[in-house]
Amino acid sequence: KAKFVDWLSTELANTMGDRTQLENKWIDLLTQYRARVVGDGTSDTPFIGSSDVEYPMTAIHFEPIYADLMQTLHVPPNFWSITALRPDRVEHAKPLQELLKVIEREKIRMRDVNTVAFNDLIIFGTCIYKDHIAFKNTPYTTYDEGGNRVQRGRIVFNPKVDCIPLQRFWIPA
């Protein structure tokens, strides 16, 4: 147990050390995107009293790319498209596509996920998705037609896709 704790603390320290350069790059990219005033509005470079207000060039280029990505993925009526690879499965493709359409609209909501994910994708160059399914079978008691008690199960199927912010994603060194 002690060896595992030592190994884990060493790996975390190495990972944090390796991320420092990357985190500094992220800070620079965010500062460039936000185009904040660094000082009091004046600078000594290139001449005394010149403005140090940054022009939001990254944000100007960001907006059309973001809009194009959202429009390309979320304007078509079906987010998922199904193609049968075997001839005997052709009649199953359309019902499966309709099922995925309902699951996407009711449970996954990829438009909401991509609203956050595309910010990381365009500003930092990377976005990370995490998918998981919450599955729960809850037993309950009910009565059948004859009035007898019957044990049944209520199944909850909840697929989910999340965007993981890059700041919370750690890759071992």
Side-chain angles (χ1 to χ4, degrees):
K1 186 175 179 179
K3 284 184 179 182
F4 176 73
V5 171
D6 290 340
W7 173 81
L8 187 61
S9 61
T10 303
E11 286 295 316
L12 282 174
N14 289 341
T15 302
M16 287 188 282
D18 291 345
R19 270 178 65 120
T20 305
Q21 187 177 10
L22 185 59
E23 287 176 354
N24 291 335
K25 182 180 177 183
W26 291 342
I27 291 169
D28 291 343
L29 289 171
L30 272 177
T31 304
Q32 182 182 2
Y33 171 72
R34 294 176 180 158
R36 293 187 174 172
V37 175
V38 179
D40 61 354
T42 61
S43 176
D44 294 337
T45 311
F47 55 89
I48 295 175
S50 64
S51 174
D52 71 347
V53 176
E54 295 182 22
Y55 196 67
M57 292 299 291
T58 304
I60 289 171
H61 295 295
F62 167 86
E63 299 299 331
I65 296 170
Y66 180 80
D68 286 346
L69 283 172
M70 291 299 282
Q71 181 177 2
T72 301
L73 288 175
H74 297 290
V75 167
N78 289 322
F79 185 78
W80 311 101
S81 56
I82 304 297
T83 304
L85 297 177
R86 295 182 5 202
D88 61 329
R89 301 289 184 185
V90 171
E91 67 272 4
H92 301 291
K94 186 66 175 170
L96 183 58
Q97 184 169 333
E98 291 299 317
L99 173 68
L100 287 174
K101 180 180 176 180
V102 171
I103 290 173
E104 195 278 325
R105 187 179 61 233
E106 300 295 325
K107 301 280 187 184
I108 298 176
R109 297 185 180 113
M110 282 304 294
R111 183 179 181 92
D112 297 340
V113 175
N114 284 337
T115 301
V116 176
F118 289 164
N119 286 324
D120 283 352
L121 177 64
I122 298 169
I123 294 172
F124 301 127
T126 303
C127 68
I128 300 165
Y129 292 99
K130 178 179 96 171
D131 63 326
H132 51 95
I133 297 175
F135 178 81
K136 185 167 57 170
N137 188 357
T138 307
Y140 69 98
T141 305
T142 186
Y143 296 94
D144 62 4
E145 296 82 20
N148 300 320
R149 291 174 56 138
V150 179
Q151 287 280 31
R152 299 221 172 130
R154 181 175 294 120
I155 297 174
V156 176
F157 173 73
N158 192 11
K160 188 101 169 126
V161 177
D162 293 321
C163 172
I164 305 299
L166 289 175
Q167 297 84 357
R168 295 185 185 160
F169 188 75
W170 294 84
I171 300 172

